[in-house]
């Protein structure tokens, strides 16, 4: 496993932290010394994370929040400013798949929900948390993307379109903060053993792909103060 960086005295917010890659990133960042602000809709998953974080000697603040609650995102930004005065690490991991179906058969509500969570919510987070990240001596943003942002995968219309839009926003943010201490990166984690992957690929042998823990171990070092790259996609 990749050696984790020293994240002592860093405040790290992870969305979609109740399971999968987000859960493992939050856990490993806490194990590396960060105080993790874990955001997700599922309270039970957040409590499971908190148990593991505490067992490893780490610290976490749990934030049950539906990212479609845009005013809630703004309130969270204000609360973080009041409590911490800055944010050192932001991991934009939360996302929904939608339905794998022909684009002309996609239900409007499903399309709108995918865009609301995967695009608009992330923009609202960028809008609310940018000042907090700029207040850090080395703000780090890591966005979890997908290969479908770049290649046509039939029947994946809303998810593919949302990830393409998300990456465009991330590239823009990286360009706009290039002359600051912030570093903004997008990551394609590749096939990973998660609940979403099982939904998308029901016939796939989960043992044939990487675990969320292994993927997280490769992503967490991107939160290091020593990171120099901006806008990297891999």
């Amino acid at each position: 496993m990749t050696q984790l960086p020293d994240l002592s005295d860093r405040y790290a917010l992870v969305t979609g932290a109740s399971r999968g890659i987000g859960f493992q990133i939050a856990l490993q960042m806490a194990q590396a010394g960060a105080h993790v602000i874990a955001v997700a809709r599922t309270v039970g998953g957040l409590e499971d994370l908190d148990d593991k974080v505490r067992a490893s000697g780490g610290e976490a603040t749990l934030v049950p929040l539906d990212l479609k609650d845009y005013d809630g995102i703004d309130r969270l930004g204000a609360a973080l400013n009041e409590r911490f005065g800055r944010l050192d690490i932001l991991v934009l991991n939360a996302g929904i798949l939608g339905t794998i179906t022909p684009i002309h058969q996609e239900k409007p509500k499903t399309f709108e929900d995918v865009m609301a969570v995967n695009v608009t919510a992330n923009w609202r987070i960028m809008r609310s948390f940018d000042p907090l990240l700029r207040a850090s001596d080395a703000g780090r943003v890591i966005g979890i993307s997908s290969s479908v942002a770049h290649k046509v995968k039939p029947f994946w219309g809303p998810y593919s379109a949302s990830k393409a839009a998300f990456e465009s926003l991330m590239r823009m943010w990286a360009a706009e903060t290039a002359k600051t201490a912030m570093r903004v990166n997008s990551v394609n984690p590749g096939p990973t053993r998660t609940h979403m992957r099982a939904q998308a690929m029901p016939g796939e042998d989960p043992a044939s792909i990487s675990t969320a823990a292994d993927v997280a171990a490769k992503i967490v070092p991107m939160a290091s103060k020593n990171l120099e790259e901006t806008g990297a996609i891999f």
Side-chain angles (χ1 to χ4, degrees), residues 74-129:
D74 291 343
R75 289 193 297 270
L76 176 57
L80 293 176
N81 182 56
E82 182 176 349
R83 182 175 178 185
F84 303 123
R86 72 177 198 273
L87 183 63
D88 302 300
I89 302 161
L90 172 62
V91 181
L92 298 171
N93 165 76
I96 59 175
L97 178 65
T99 306
I100 305 300
T101 191
I103 190 65
H104 69 282
Q105 295 180 5
E106 191 67 74
K107 294 180 179 178
K109 180 66 164 60
T110 301
F111 188 93
E112 290 163 5
D113 284 347
V114 171
M115 291 298 172
V117 174
N118 297 0
V119 183
T120 306
N122 282 314
W123 169 71
R124 291 296 295 253
I125 292 171
M126 294 174 187
R127 176 178 175 271
S128 293
F129 297 171

Side-chain angles (χ1 to χ4, degrees), residues 45-67:
L46 289 175
E47 291 174 343
D48 289 344
L49 171 65
D50 191 49
D51 289 342
K52 290 185 179 295
V53 167
R54 290 177 182 275
S56 67
E59 295 182 342
T61 297
L62 308 184
V63 182
L65 178 66
D66 185 335
L67 293 183

